[in-house]
Amino acid sequence: MSQLQSELSRLQSEMLEKHRERKHEEVENIAYRIDRIHTELVTLRSQQRAES
C-alpha cells in the first residue's frame, strides 16, 4: 500500500505541473490514473479493516 501512496503523491505533483504548463490532455490522463490508484487504496483499506 505504501508504494501506491507514493505513486499517488508523485502523480498529484506531476498533475499540478502539467496544469501549470496548460497541458490539459495530460492532466486528464494523470487525473484518471490518480482516480484508479485512489480507488485501489480505498479497496485495500476496506479489505484490511474487514480482516481485522
Side-chain angles (χ1 to χ4, degrees):
M1 186 164 16
S2 176
Q3 183 179 4
L4 286 175
Q5 290 170 324
S6 295
E7 179 69 3
L8 181 62
S9 178
R10 185 190 69 76
L11 286 172
Q12 288 170 329
S13 296
E14 185 179 337
M15 186 172 78
L16 288 173
E17 182 64 31
K18 298 299 181 184
H19 185 70
R20 284 188 212 111
E21 295 172 0
R22 298 185 183 269
K23 295 184 177 181
H24 300 291
E25 186 176 319
E26 289 182 41
V27 169
E28 287 180 24
N29 290 335
I30 294 168
Y32 174 76
R33 290 166 54 197
I34 287 172
D35 287 344
R36 283 187 29 218
I37 291 172
H38 183 261
T39 300
E40 190 171 344
L41 281 170
V42 169
T43 301
L44 287 171
R45 287 181 184 140
S46 294
Q47 288 174 350
Q48 283 182 334
R49 287 186 191 120
E51 292 172 0
S52 298

